[in-house]
Amino acid sequence: MLSNNPHINHPHLGEQYALLTDLYELTMAASYLEEEMHEEATFSLFIRKYPPDRGYFVAAGLEEALNYLATLRFGEDDLAYLDSTRLFKIAFLDYLKTVRFTGEVWALPEGSIFFKDEPILEVTGPIIEAQLVESFLINAINLQTMIATKAARSTVAAGGRRLVDFSLRRTQGTDAGLKVARASYLGGFVGTSNVLAGKLYGLPIFGTMAHSYVTSFKSEIESFRAFARAFPHNTVLLIDTYDTIAGAKKAIQVGLEMAARGERLRGVRLDSGDMAALSIEVRRLLNEAGLDYVTIFASGGFDEFKITRTLEAGGVIDAYGVGTKMGVAADAPYFDIAYKLVKYGDKPVMKLSTGKVTYVDKKQLFRFYEHQGQMAEDVIGLREESFSQAKPLLQPVMTQGRPLAPLPPLSASRELFLREFEQLPTQYKILQDPPNYPVRISAGLQHLQERVEDNIRRQELGVRE
Amino acid sequence: MLSNNPHINHPHLGEQYALLTDLYELTMAASYLEEEMHEEATFSLFIRKYPPDRGYFVAAGLEEALNYLATLRFGEDDLAYLDSTRLFKIAFLDYLKTVRFTGEVWALPEGSIFFKDEPILEVTGPIIEAQLVESFLINAINLQTMIATKAARSTVAAGGRRLVDFSLRRTQGTDAGLKVARASYLGGFVGTSNVLAGKLYGLPIFGTMAHSYVTSFKSEIESFRAFARAFPHNTVLLIDTYDTIAGAKKAIQVGLEMAARGERLRGVRLDSGDMAALSIEVRRLLNEAGLDYVTIFASGGFDEFKITRTLEAGGVIDAYGVGTKMGVAADAPYFDIAYKLVKYGDKPVMKLSTGKVTYVDKKQLFRFYEHQGQMAEDVIGLREESFSQAKPLLQPVMTQGRPLAPLPPLSASRELFLREFEQLPTQYKILQDPPNYPVRISAGLQHLQERVEDNIRRQELGVRE
């Protein structure tokens, strides 16, 4: 996802990734062109189902989606490649030469809390343009929304303790490594071990030493001393290489040596074993030695469930490195997310495939609140509807292919998330089997929905009223 | 992962991604430099455990790993960023300016079958260089190995039927979208829907139409006719938009219209419902209409388990689009994969952390075969050992930071996989709870392992013999 000089806004995203699409987007586009179908189409992006134990989602990935749309173009070598497949006529390849995304986008701001079936994003534009971008948009929104949601769950479990993204080595690829760092920060983490993500997104970065560091020295304590020499103000000692309690005692010795020099050991890190029991014992040893200011950091298989278990067992851990299971959303590694045509020209449309509902037409999402500001209910309605008591959540963010305004900085999106998350009643935040937040559809949408479905049944399935 | 002109060998991978590392790799490096620790280190990359239902792995990702190593360098803006963190001294940043990977790599060729605890790759070089590359190497090998392994399982389940990667929209990011297409091809798939992967890796690409295409037309049959007009030689009709059987009847009508023009409808695609029952009925309808040459393609939630269930239920599907569940390895979305220091200078090293074994020193992997060429047993030994009956599997692939020879083309790696997979006895390929293939360690490695562990226990834990 990077140009040679990577920076946050990826100005060439759409150029680099015009071909990062499913072949059918191009074959459909070729047919639309031949059929002279250039009317405006609206596609809606939404999540059909809650994965296990999920009862809300945290919107993320919009910045990447808009950067892609704003810069989409096919290069010479892209067209040469398409030509080489012998699938396409010259007229279509000529068309692709100049195609740009010229449509409009309504979306939930990054950091928003939302629920299943609710539109995250709606794209309106000439059907070829709005169709071509399907694969990329789903990919971008799916990953970051999935991770921000998983991170929010860890944030709930940790109850104010600090969480750091440690997942880079096991994320599914390099792009995920970066996006997970970004999305977990959005979902309440304080930073990441990923240096490039720190640079690209302005995130705080964390990290000190690995087991290999300890084992490369003649002895464990010599490795601790060497690290303290190099980083007198930023030393967190990994103490489980050989035995956590033996390691803690050596860390205390080095901590006292540092104190004698007027320095402060910052922390120790646990990375294996019974985290609750070990943290209690290590805390006791540190305090007895007068090192009560030394924090205990823990890593190794943490996610919202292990954090909860560790706290329930009395663990006294100040901060967690949360890695693999958050970084791949291990218990729910994909969403049932879709980008569906809901209107073509004047005609609201849907598919009827077994067990799947798509709400037709351009929509708006309305949120009702309790008097105390807590979220009460959402209504999915038609774009032109309004409800005096509700806040409309989808905002126009792009028109004629250009962003309407600069997007907020990531820190502001993180604040938005934290604020909205406060408004979500606690009962919906429980980590296992949460209840469903109430979402209904407006009478106007319900009426249109039924009319469109009846028409399709009559026309396509020969069903009489 | 792409420069502005992406192509297969990513010549700037290491430049773009020097900072795609965990911060601790850099803090450790800074300390190694201060301590003047420049001796040669060997790190071993291996998988500690089988995820559920796995009994073998398919090696993949080496090309990306070597491209990264060969081009690793820190740019001016990388160093400026590191300087801005105020963590590092000027001497270290000066050192990073000129650092390159100058070491050697031994590895399993891509497509190799291997097992838990076996080294996939061993890196030897000055400790700073070999340490810095940890995060990227794990990331690269983990993703592609995980996907190639998942794809191989689908290949087993499909029993010769054709499989196409359909996962782009739900892979975890854009890099994964590309790598999944590559690794699934390596693991026996015939191609992908991902156009950029087709271009970058020379993969066959597949795809025709989505539900949005069908719903954008006045009627389903008009959409079928329009597609056949645009692609008279490559039309696969998606028939489940409104009702699969009603859709099949319209596809037959269009198939007969095509036949009357001397064209051939290539296929129909099922995407929802009871795939076995629907495929049987659709096959019957097609055959009755004289369209026995029209293939049935199916997509929608397929993985090795659903393919097996569909075949067991009598499904008559000629080819499968395999998407999300393969593309994120949904039932096992990460491996317990590690990159551990096994030797520093002359000293073989290990960590002792609870429940985890690391085999020390530079190693070789030896494979013994039955008389019929079937795999019999593997032995993990020391690099300098040899066994007259066994084939040594780790090959030198890089020396002094340069590849020893051009890597084989992907098609050759795929052939290697298919050949080796033939040699793996069937009992290890079963999809649920396979037995463990026999892997033991050589007497020489066992002896050294015990000696190193005894030394550590004596020195670090005060244990007396």
Side-chain angles (χ1 to χ4, degrees):
Chain A
M1 53 125 271
L2 299 171
S3 68
N4 278 333
N5 286 305
H7 62 88
I8 294 176
N9 290 314
H10 313 309
H12 302 297
L13 204 60
E15 266 175 56
Q16 292 176 31
Y17 284 143
L19 288 189
L20 193 73
T21 190
D22 290 297
L23 179 60
Y24 76 5
E25 315 289 7
L26 291 164
T27 50
M28 289 189 279
S31 170
Y32 292 142
L33 186 71
E34 274 194 44
E35 303 294 321
E36 297 180 357
M37 288 169 64
H38 297 290
E39 281 186 85
E40 204 173 76
T42 297
F43 286 81
S44 191
L45 197 146
F46 59 98
I47 300 173
R48 287 186 191 287
K49 281 201 296 241
Y50 291 119
D53 296 325
R54 303 307 192 267
Y56 60 87
F57 303 109
V58 181
L62 181 61
E63 179 178 283
E64 183 184 10
L66 296 182
N67 284 333
Y68 162 81
L69 291 174
T71 57
L72 180 68
R73 63 205 59 204
F74 291 84
E76 285 296 324
D77 58 337
D78 294 334
L79 298 171
Y81 170 71
L82 291 179
D83 194 26
S84 77
T85 66
R86 298 172 165 273
L87 284 167
F88 301 104
K89 295 168 190 161
I90 292 297
F92 178 63
L93 298 177
D94 281 345
Y95 173 84
L96 287 186
K97 245 182 230 174
T98 57
V99 78
R100 302 287 182 270
F101 179 74
T102 63
E104 71 168 24
V105 179
W106 288 59
L108 299 177
E110 290 196 274
S112 300
I113 305 292
F114 70 99
F115 305 94
K116 83 179 175 73
D117 294 326
E118 297 185 345
I120 311 164
L121 181 142
E122 292 199 329
V123 173
T124 299
I127 191 164
I128 293 182
E129 299 169 19
Q131 179 78 67
L132 273 175
V133 301
E134 173 181 28
S135 315
F136 191 98
L137 292 185
I138 295 178
N139 187 292
I141 303 291
N142 180 55
L143 173 61
Q144 289 203 53
T145 298
M146 186 169 75
I147 298 301
T149 303
K150 181 81 173 165
R153 292 166 57 79
S154 299
T155 300
V156 170
R161 291 166 195 84
R162 302 187 324 147
L163 302 174
V164 178
D165 162 41
F166 263 25
S167 65
L168 170 62
R169 65 192 54 203
R170 305 235 186 90
T171 58
Q172 295 192 359
T174 54
D175 183 46
L178 294 169
K179 301 296 166 49
V180 166
R182 181 184 189 277
S184 59
Y185 182 74
L186 186 60
F189 280 40
V190 299
T192 179
S193 64
N194 182 333
V195 183
L196 186 55
K199 178 187 173 200
L200 290 175
Y201 305 121
L203 308 178
I205 53 175
F206 295 86
T208 55
M209 66 172 64
H211 298 111
S212 54
Y213 180 82
V214 175
T215 58
S216 73
F217 281 80
K218 288 207 169 52
S219 68
E220 188 175 35
I221 198 161
E222 279 313 311
S223 76
F224 290 176
R225 288 186 177 123
F227 203 87
R229 274 195 292 278
F231 296 98
H233 307 300
N234 190 27
T235 286
V236 178
L237 299 170
L238 176 62
I239 60 176
D240 80 322
T241 302
Y242 302 119
D243 174 88
T244 301
I245 300 304
K249 290 175 182 167
K250 293 171 202 163
I252 286 167
Q253 187 174 335
V254 173
L256 294 172
E257 292 166 9
M258 292 177 77
R261 294 195 296 269
E263 298 161 3
R264 284 193 153 202
L265 174 61
R266 249 179 95 166
V268 294
R269 175 158 73 99
L270 315 177
D271 192 51
S272 57
D274 178 338
M275 296 285 184
L278 288 170
S279 68
I280 292 167
E281 178 64 5
V282 169
R283 182 75 274 159
R284 193 182 63 77
L285 293 170
L286 286 167
N287 291 358
E288 278 179 11
L291 300 178
D292 57 342
Y293 56 83
V294 174
T295 58
I296 298 179
F297 194 88
S299 55
F302 280 104
D303 61 4
E304 64 271 41
F305 302 112
K306 186 171 173 181
I307 291 171
T308 301
R309 287 195 303 273
T310 303
L311 285 170
E312 284 173 357
V316 284
I317 293 164
D318 301 292
Y320 295 86
V322 179
T324 305
K325 288 177 186 165
M326 183 279 296
V328 304
D331 65 327
Y334 61 91
F335 284 159
D336 189 356
I337 187 170
Y339 179 86
K340 289 292 168 192
L341 183 67
V342 293
K343 184 170 207 171
Y344 181 61
D346 294 336
K347 190 179 74 150
V349 306
M350 65 167 66
K351 65 169 199 166
L352 294 180
S353 315
T354 322
K356 295 177 178 177
V357 176
T358 305
Y359 294 118
V360 298
D361 213 336
K362 295 183 187 180
K363 289 176 291 297
Q364 179 54 282
L365 180 56
F366 301 94
R367 181 156 294 164
F368 291 83
Y369 297 86
E370 304 286 357
H371 292 303
Q372 300 77 16
Q374 292 281 288
M375 294 164 51
E377 183 186 43
D378 284 5
V379 172
I380 305 171
L382 296 166
R383 184 78 59 85
E384 71 270 17
E385 289 184 296
S386 71
F387 296 87
S388 61
Q389 302 299 311
K391 182 176 164 190
L393 300 180
L394 289 172
Q395 301 177 0
V397 290
M398 177 170 262
T399 184
Q400 296 182 298
R402 310 303 310 167
L404 270 165
L407 288 171
L410 185 59
S411 56
S413 299
R414 186 173 185 272
E415 289 302 315
L416 175 76
F417 158 70
L418 293 171
R419 221 159 45 235
E420 289 214 358
F421 207 39
E422 279 286 309
Q423 297 170 342
L424 179 67
T426 311
Q427 65 192 104
Y428 303 113
K429 294 184 195 169
I430 64 172
L431 299 173
Q432 287 179 297
D433 287 325
N436 273 12
Y437 175 87
V439 177
R440 56 185 178 82
I441 69 171
S442 72
L445 177 55
Q446 181 70 44
H447 178 76
L448 181 61
Q449 190 77 7
E450 285 166 10
R451 189 164 63 74
V452 173
E453 187 168 337
D454 285 349
N455 281 342
I456 293 171
R457 290 194 185 281
R458 269 202 306 281
Q459 180 183 317
E460 299 293 340
L461 310 181
V463 176
R464 309 259 161 219
E465 277 184 292
Chain B
M1 54 128 269
L2 299 170
S3 67
N4 279 333
N5 286 304
H7 62 87
I8 295 177
N9 290 314
H10 312 309
H12 303 297
L13 203 59
E15 266 175 58
Q16 291 177 31
Y17 284 143
L19 288 190
L20 194 72
T21 190
D22 290 297
L23 178 61
Y24 77 4
E25 315 290 7
L26 291 165
T27 50
M28 289 188 280
S31 170
Y32 292 143
L33 186 71
E34 274 195 41
E35 302 294 322
E36 297 180 358
M37 289 170 64
H38 296 291
E39 281 186 84
E40 203 173 76
T42 297
F43 286 81
S44 190
L45 196 145
F46 58 98
I47 300 174
R48 289 187 190 284
K49 281 201 294 243
Y50 291 119
D53 295 326
R54 304 306 193 268
Y56 60 86
F57 302 109
V58 181
L62 181 62
E63 179 177 282
E64 184 185 8
L66 296 182
N67 284 334
Y68 163 81
L69 291 174
T71 57
L72 179 67
R73 63 204 59 203
F74 291 84
E76 284 298 324
D77 58 336
D78 294 335
L79 298 172
Y81 170 71
L82 291 179
D83 194 25
S84 77
T85 67
R86 300 173 164 271
L87 284 168
F88 301 104
K89 295 168 188 160
I90 292 297
F92 177 63
L93 299 178
D94 281 345
Y95 173 85
L96 287 186
K97 246 182 226 172
T98 56
V99 77
R100 302 287 183 268
F101 179 74
T102 64
E104 71 167 24
V105 179
W106 288 59
L108 299 177
E110 290 196 275
S112 299
I113 305 292
F114 71 100
F115 305 93
K116 83 181 175 75
D117 294 326
E118 297 185 345
I120 311 163
L121 179 142
E122 291 199 330
V123 173
T124 298
I127 191 165
I128 294 181
E129 299 169 19
Q131 179 79 68
L132 274 176
V133 301
E134 172 180 28
S135 315
F136 191 97
L137 292 185
I138 294 177
N139 186 293
I141 303 291
N142 179 55
L143 173 61
Q144 289 204 53
T145 298
M146 185 170 75
I147 299 301
T149 303
K150 181 80 174 166
R153 293 166 56 80
S154 300
T155 299
V156 169
R161 291 166 194 85
R162 301 187 325 148
L163 302 175
V164 178
D165 162 41
F166 262 25
S167 65
L168 169 62
R169 67 192 54 204
R170 303 231 188 94
T171 58
Q172 295 192 358
T174 54
D175 183 45
L178 294 168
K179 301 296 166 48
V180 166
R182 182 184 190 275
S184 59
Y185 182 74
L186 186 61
F189 279 41
V190 300
T192 179
S193 64
N194 182 335
V195 183
L196 187 56
K199 178 187 174 200
L200 290 174
Y201 305 121
L203 307 179
I205 52 175
F206 295 86
T208 55
M209 66 173 63
H211 298 110
S212 54
Y213 181 82
V214 175
T215 58
S216 72
F217 281 80
K218 287 207 170 51
S219 68
E220 187 175 35
I221 197 161
E222 280 314 311
S223 76
F224 290 177
R225 287 185 177 122
F227 203 87
R229 275 194 292 277
F231 298 97
H233 307 300
N234 189 28
T235 286
V236 177
L237 299 169
L238 176 62
I239 61 175
D240 79 322
T241 302
Y242 303 119
D243 174 87
T244 301
I245 299 303
K249 290 174 181 166
K250 293 170 202 164
I252 285 167
Q253 188 174 335
V254 172
L256 294 171
E257 292 166 10
M258 291 177 78
R261 296 196 294 269
E263 298 161 3
R264 283 193 153 202
L265 174 61
R266 250 179 95 166
V268 294
R269 175 158 75 98
L270 315 177
D271 192 49
S272 57
D274 178 338
M275 296 284 184
L278 288 170
S279 68
I280 292 166
E281 178 64 4
V282 169
R283 182 77 273 159
R284 192 181 64 75
L285 294 169
L286 286 167
N287 290 0
E288 278 179 11
L291 300 177
D292 57 342
Y293 55 82
V294 174
T295 58
I296 298 179
F297 194 88
S299 55
F302 280 105
D303 61 4
E304 64 271 40
F305 302 112
K306 185 171 175 182
I307 291 171
T308 301
R309 286 195 303 275
T310 304
L311 285 170
E312 284 172 358
V316 285
I317 292 165
D318 301 293
Y320 294 86
V322 179
T324 305
K325 288 177 187 165
M326 183 279 296
V328 303
D331 65 328
Y334 62 91
F335 284 160
D336 189 357
I337 186 169
Y339 179 84
K340 289 292 167 192
L341 183 67
V342 294
K343 186 171 204 170
Y344 180 61
D346 294 336
K347 188 179 75 151
V349 306
M350 64 166 67
K351 65 169 197 164
L352 295 181
S353 316
T354 322
K356 295 178 177 176
V357 175
T358 305
Y359 294 119
V360 298
D361 213 339
K362 295 183 186 180
K363 289 176 291 297
Q364 179 54 282
L365 180 57
F366 301 95
R367 181 156 295 166
F368 291 83
Y369 297 86
E370 304 285 357
H371 291 304
Q372 300 78 15
Q374 293 280 287
M375 293 162 53
E377 184 186 43
D378 285 5
V379 172
I380 305 170
L382 295 166
R383 183 79 59 82
E384 70 270 18
E385 289 185 295
S386 72
F387 296 87
S388 61
Q389 303 297 310
K391 182 175 163 190
L393 300 180
L394 288 172
Q395 301 177 2
V397 290
M398 178 171 260
T399 184
Q400 297 182 297
R402 309 304 309 166
L404 270 165
L407 287 171
L410 185 60
S411 56
S413 299
R414 185 172 186 272
E415 289 303 315
L416 175 75
F417 158 69
L418 293 171
R419 222 160 45 234
E420 288 214 358
F421 208 39
E422 279 286 310
Q423 296 169 344
L424 179 66
T426 312
Q427 65 191 106
Y428 303 112
K429 294 184 194 169
I430 63 172
L431 298 174
Q432 287 178 296
D433 286 326
N436 273 12
Y437 175 86
V439 177
R440 56 183 179 84
I441 69 170
S442 72
L445 177 55
Q446 181 71 45
H447 178 76
L448 181 61
Q449 190 78 7
E450 286 166 9
R451 188 164 63 76
V452 173
E453 188 168 337
D454 285 349
N455 281 342
I456 292 171
R457 289 193 186 281
R458 267 202 308 279
Q459 179 185 317
E460 299 293 341
L461 310 181
V463 177
R464 309 260 160 217
E465 275 183 294

